[in-house]
Amino acid sequence: MQVEHVILLLLAATAAGWVDAVVGGGGLIQLPALMIVNPAQPVAALATNKLASIAGTSSAAVAYLRKAKPDLQVAVPAGVIAVCAAAGGAVCAAAISSDVLKPIIMVVLLSVAALVVLKPDLGRVPKLVLRTRRRLAAAILVPGIVIAFYDGLVGPGTGTFLVLAFTTLLGSDFVNASANAKIINTGTNLGALVVFSLQGEVLWAIGLAMAACNIVGAQLGARMAINRGAGFVRVVLLCVVTALVIKLGYEQLT
């Protein structure tokens, strides 16, 4: 691998770690960089992306555990379930065309953007909600199964979907929702990585180097999110959603 390609991947991994730690969506940066460097092996790019990402998300999860207040009653069981759901998604990754999924993902992302714009108070401060059994079950199963399966299958936007799930289902502010998301995202990355490893798709040498850079970015991102609060996370969230929509729209048209 050429030196300039290595530099590109390490910079992309650092930036992706920062974005993932704040609000999710680091795959928007990291995965395309891997595809540019190694276009002939798309599954290897997905697999190596998971190796780098799990280092950053687990590192960010530890940082949030120290400073923020993740809802462990929900995040831990959802994270355990997510390992299996994401593994199932990774197994199905080769069987389902991304061309079928991209329009659906775009509609969901546009809905996310509209929700955040039309409800400016969403996620700014914690909202008191009645924690019924049904609501708690939804807060565990939607992130732990539905979003986790999607992460193993495709990936981009997973962290963003997790943050929105917790703000809408539990009334969490964006910072605490990000803390919950990191725990579950660690589980989804682990499940997919195990499958890709067994398939022999992971590029370990460059993946481990990217993992180290992802941790650096994740630590910086988590600290900024905690220190600057929900308003900062909201702005980053809108930027990431907009970028994802533009990226997917461009891919549909070309």
Side-chain angles (χ1 to χ4, degrees):
M1 188 175 292
Q2 298 176 10
V3 175
E4 56 267 29
H5 286 169
V6 173
I7 294 172
L8 169 65
L9 291 177
L10 297 183
L11 290 174
T14 304
W18 187 91
V19 172
D20 261 339
V22 177
V23 76
L28 174 69
I29 301 169
Q30 195 164 255
L31 189 55
L34 283 161
M35 294 293 290
I36 290 170
V37 171
N38 198 11
Q41 295 179 288
V43 178
L46 283 169
T48 307
N49 177 58
K50 291 302 178 189
L51 173 59
S53 295
I54 193 173
T57 52
S58 58
S59 171
V62 171
Y64 276 111
L65 280 169
R66 289 174 178 171
K67 298 290 181 70
K69 295 180 180 179
D71 191 333
L72 298 180
Q73 181 185 5
V74 171
V76 171
V80 173
I81 296 169
V83 176
C84 298
V91 170
C92 297
I96 301 177
S97 171
S98 61
D99 292 335
V100 175
L101 293 171
K102 284 176 184 175
I104 299 173
I105 298 168
M106 282 188 66
V107 171
V108 174
L109 286 168
L110 287 170
S111 301
V112 167
L115 181 65
V116 176
V117 171
L118 295 175
K119 289 194 171 184
D121 292 333
L122 179 70
R124 285 191 178 275
V125 294
K127 182 181 177 182
L128 190 62
V129 297
L130 185 61
R131 294 169 68 94
T132 63
R133 288 185 178 181
R134 185 172 297 179
R135 185 179 289 273
L136 286 173
I140 292 171
L141 297 179
V142 171
I145 295 179
V146 179
I147 300 176
F149 182 85
Y150 164 80
D151 190 31
L153 184 66
V154 184
T158 296
T160 305
F161 295 145
L162 288 170
V163 169
L164 262 293
F166 287 118
T167 55
T168 53
L169 290 172
L170 294 180
S172 304
D173 64 44
F174 281 134
V175 173
N176 287 333
S178 292
N180 292 337
K182 293 300 141 298
I183 295 172
I184 296 164
N185 215 173
T186 299
T188 65
N189 285 329
L190 175 60
L193 180 61
V194 168
V195 172
F196 287 132
S197 298
L198 293 174
Q199 294 173 343
E201 296 288 354
V202 181
L203 304 176
W204 289 99
I206 188 62
L208 289 171
M210 292 175 69
C213 292
N214 207 278
I215 290 173
V216 173
Q219 286 296 307
L220 292 172
R223 290 173 185 177
M224 288 183 72
I226 293 167
N227 292 334
R228 298 196 179 189
F232 169 72
V233 178
R234 181 177 185 272
V235 172
V236 177
L237 173 65
L238 284 172
C239 291
V240 170
V241 169
T242 302
L244 278 166
V245 170
I246 292 171
K247 177 181 179 292
L248 291 171
Y250 175 78
E251 289 176 352
Q252 283 294 109
L253 295 173
T254 56

